């Protein structure tokens, strides 16, 4: 079955540590997105990528980095520069050329310990 | 710039009663509009979408939404709510090319017996 897989489901980070969240899709979608979700704030866009080897900052990119070396994969690194990383992170993909919706992974909950 | 407003943070509805969740958007061109539902700790599932054509769109689980261009609204409705409908609901606006899919802050639906 086609879909988006995020891993791990739960992740714990120590202060000053970088962590990487995985997002893989087998939908053959060109565009991929990372959102951060906090209670009462909806989904805020961190980074997005329209094609391989290209990505753009979203509204809250500070303290995050991404790469897009393969069409199927769009990993997100939460760096030590992100001062408040505890949140729920959602990855999505879209086929921008078609009339379709965004498909979402099941999310990763990151907690700083 | 695109924006979405969901004015109700929480709504409580009795089981079997009707439901309307409000969504207002701001976008200069013809928008693509979506409603998603999220259960706790899960990803987002698409309920319905509007791209063009008939302004009343039907979705899954008995939901429908009506696009009103004059009011910049895309309200979600259901004639009879079930306890399993308790979740958080997000309205989103995008455009062809999907460079940015913008979400509202969400409405949490509580269903009382």
């Amino acid at each position: 079955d086609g879909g988006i897989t995020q891993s791990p489901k739960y992740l714990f980070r120590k202060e000053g540590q970088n962590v990487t969240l995985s997002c893989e899709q087998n939908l053959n979608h060109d565009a991929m997105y990372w959102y951060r979700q906090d209670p009462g704030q909806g989904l805020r866009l961190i980074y997005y990528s329209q094609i391989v080897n290209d990505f753009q900052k979203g509204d809250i990119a500070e303290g995050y980095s991404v790469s897009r070396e393969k069409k199927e994969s769009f990993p997100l690194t939460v760096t030590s520069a992100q001062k408040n990383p505890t949140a729920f992170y959602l990855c999505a993909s879209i086929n921008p050329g078609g009339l379709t919706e965004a498909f979402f992974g099941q999310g990763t909950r990151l907690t700083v310990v | 710039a695109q924006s979405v407003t969901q004015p109700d943070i929480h709504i409580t509805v009795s089981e079997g009663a009707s439901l309307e969740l409000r969504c207002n958007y701001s976008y200069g061109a013809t928008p693509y509009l979506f409603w998603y539902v999220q259960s706790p700790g899960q990803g987002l599932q698409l309920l319905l979408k509007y791209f063009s054509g008939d302004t009343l769109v039907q979705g899954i689980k008995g939901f429908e939404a009506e696009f009103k261009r004059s009011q910049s609204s895309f309200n979600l409705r259901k004639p009879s709510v079930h306890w399993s409908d308790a979740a958080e609901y997000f309205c989103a606006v995008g455009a062809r090319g999907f460079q940015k899919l913008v979400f509202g802050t969400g409405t949490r639906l509580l269903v009382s017996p």
Side-chain angles (χ1 to χ4, degrees):
Chain A
D1 288 340
I4 300 178
T5 302
Q6 289 187 241
S7 62
K9 187 170 178 64
Y10 299 97
L11 186 57
F12 297 90
R13 191 194 94 167
K14 294 181 180 179
E15 294 281 352
Q17 189 179 47
N18 292 357
V19 291
T20 298
L21 284 60
S22 171
C23 178
E24 303 278 333
Q25 55 101 356
N26 60 4
L27 299 166
N28 200 34
H29 285 171
D30 291 311
M32 297 187 73
Y33 299 75
W34 274 105
Y35 289 91
R36 170 177 171 147
Q37 186 177 18
D38 298 280
Q41 297 193 51
L43 279 71
R44 294 181 291 167
L45 183 63
I46 305 173
Y47 268 98
Y48 63 101
S49 170
Q50 299 277 331
I51 57 173
V52 174
N53 292 323
D54 188 45
F55 47 83
Q56 286 78 42
K57 293 181 179 180
D59 301 317
I60 56 165
E62 185 174 353
Y64 300 97
S65 66
V66 294
S67 63
R68 187 84 187 276
E69 297 177 359
K70 299 186 301 182
K71 187 175 184 178
E72 305 79 31
S73 179
F74 191 41
L76 174 73
T77 296
V78 184
T79 74
S80 57
Q82 172 49 240
K83 297 307 179 187
N84 185 23
T86 295
F88 192 55
Y89 292 86
L90 286 161
C91 180
S93 72
I94 295 174
N95 181 8
L99 292 178
T100 184
E101 69 274 14
F103 291 81
F104 282 84
Q106 291 300 296
T108 293
R109 181 162 299 280
L110 173 63
T111 303
V112 174
V113 296
Chain B
Q2 303 154 250
S3 68
V4 176
T5 301
Q6 293 181 249
D8 303 306
I9 297 174
H10 297 100
I11 283 185
T12 300
V13 175
S14 299
E15 189 168 16
S18 64
L19 169 70
E20 182 168 27
L21 302 182
R22 296 183 289 166
C23 172
N24 292 97
Y25 69 90
S26 173
Y27 186 61
T30 300
Y32 292 172
L33 295 160
F34 308 84
W35 274 100
Y36 284 86
V37 61
Q38 184 184 36
S39 297
Q42 300 296 314
L44 274 66
Q45 180 185 22
L46 181 74
L47 286 176
L48 47 78
K49 60 191 176 188
Y50 171 79
F51 291 140
S52 65
D54 193 347
T55 56
L56 184 64
V57 294
Q58 302 296 322
I60 62 172
K61 304 184 180 184
F63 285 92
E64 67 177 27
E66 186 171 11
F67 170 58
K68 293 185 177 180
R69 184 186 299 275
S70 62
Q71 300 178 18
S72 297
S73 69
F74 189 57
N75 294 348
L76 181 71
R77 301 194 294 247
K78 187 170 184 178
S80 178
V81 169
H82 187 262
W83 64 266
S84 61
D85 293 324
E88 190 150 22
Y89 292 79
F90 291 93
C91 182
V93 62
R96 195 176 188 100
F98 286 106
Q99 291 188 348
K100 289 182 74 172
L101 188 58
V102 177
F103 285 82
T105 52
T107 297
R108 182 166 298 279
L109 173 64
L110 304 174
V111 180
S112 60

